[in-house]
Amino acid sequence: MIAFLKGLLRINRKKQKETKKDRIMVDLETLGTGPGCIILSIGAISFDPETNSTGRHFYMVINTESCLAYGLAVNPETLHWWEQQNHEAQEVLRQANDYKTSVSIKFALNEFNKFISQHRDPEVWGNGADFDNTILAYAMTKCDLVPNWKFWNNRCFRTLKNMFPSVKMNRIGTYHNSLDDAETQAQHANILLKKLSGVEA
């Protein structure tokens, strides 16, 4: 009987492993606050609350002129906001205006889709239900691309974070660098998802 139950447990663990979804945290730096705005950079990193770890990462700076060519636009208020940020954060603006340090929007989105496809049925986490994921999906439509993740796998990090306002987020690297912000959010999500499941990190 015990051997039978152990066998069932092994089968159950195997099924859980086979059906487990990967998680990816995405962060964008943009020249707007909604779909249709210019994307300056895409940062993303996989994360796993079970092991409290982060994994593969993705980062690309996108050429501003290529965004304009596909009909994406600048929001003047967001541009003014960028002018108030520190020198390190503003580096992405300089890179996005130089073809030597940036890539076209379509190339970046294609490469991001390839990054997504390296993961198992991934949940894609953005910082706001109406920000990163919706901006990415709209830009892909403008570039005649289809997102490589299912819409029902969209997740909102901001909602998760607001469920645990007393848990301090430890910032990594440069604030408003999309990869640094993605890693910061991913590590914080690892802690919060463990709390949500009743397991302390």
Side-chain angles (χ1 to χ4, degrees), residues 28-173:
L28 305 181
E29 298 305 331
T30 66
L31 288 176
T33 57
C37 68
I38 285 175
I39 301 173
L40 295 169
S41 67
I42 304 172
I45 191 164
S46 63
F47 65 102
D48 185 352
E50 289 184 13
T51 58
N52 196 32
S53 62
T54 55
R56 299 177 198 151
H57 67 272
F58 177 93
Y59 181 72
M60 281 193 176
V61 177
I62 298 169
N63 186 266
T64 303
E65 287 187 15
S66 76
C67 290
L68 291 170
Y70 278 97
L72 304 179
V74 179
N75 178 288
E77 290 181 4
T78 306
L79 184 59
H80 176 70
W81 176 86
W82 273 107
E83 291 169 352
Q84 314 306 310
Q85 304 309 305
N86 63 39
H87 181 80
E88 289 78 11
Q90 289 179 354
E91 181 62 23
V92 71
L93 291 171
R94 292 181 281 274
Q95 292 175 342
N97 283 309
D98 187 340
Y99 278 103
K100 294 178 182 177
T101 53
S102 61
V103 299
S104 74
I105 180 71
K106 188 163 188 175
F107 178 82
L109 293 174
N110 258 319
E111 292 301 302
F112 182 69
N113 259 345
K114 291 177 185 177
F115 174 76
I116 291 290
S117 69
Q118 295 170 13
H119 300 81
R120 292 171 298 181
D121 191 24
E123 295 175 354
V124 178
W125 291 71
N127 193 16
D130 58 354
F131 193 72
D132 303 280
N133 298 28
T134 55
I135 290 172
L136 275 173
Y138 184 87
M140 286 190 178
T141 299
K142 297 293 281 186
C143 293
D144 296 320
L145 298 172
V146 177
N148 265 0
W149 71 94
K150 300 177 179 72
F151 71 87
W152 55 80
N153 280 336
N154 284 316
R155 297 290 186 273
C156 180
F157 169 70
R158 184 172 295 162
T159 301
L160 176 66
K161 181 177 64 175
N162 288 342
M163 292 171 68
F164 300 93
S166 64
V167 181
K168 183 181 177 182
M169 185 163 68
N170 296 315
R171 190 155 293 285
I172 296 164

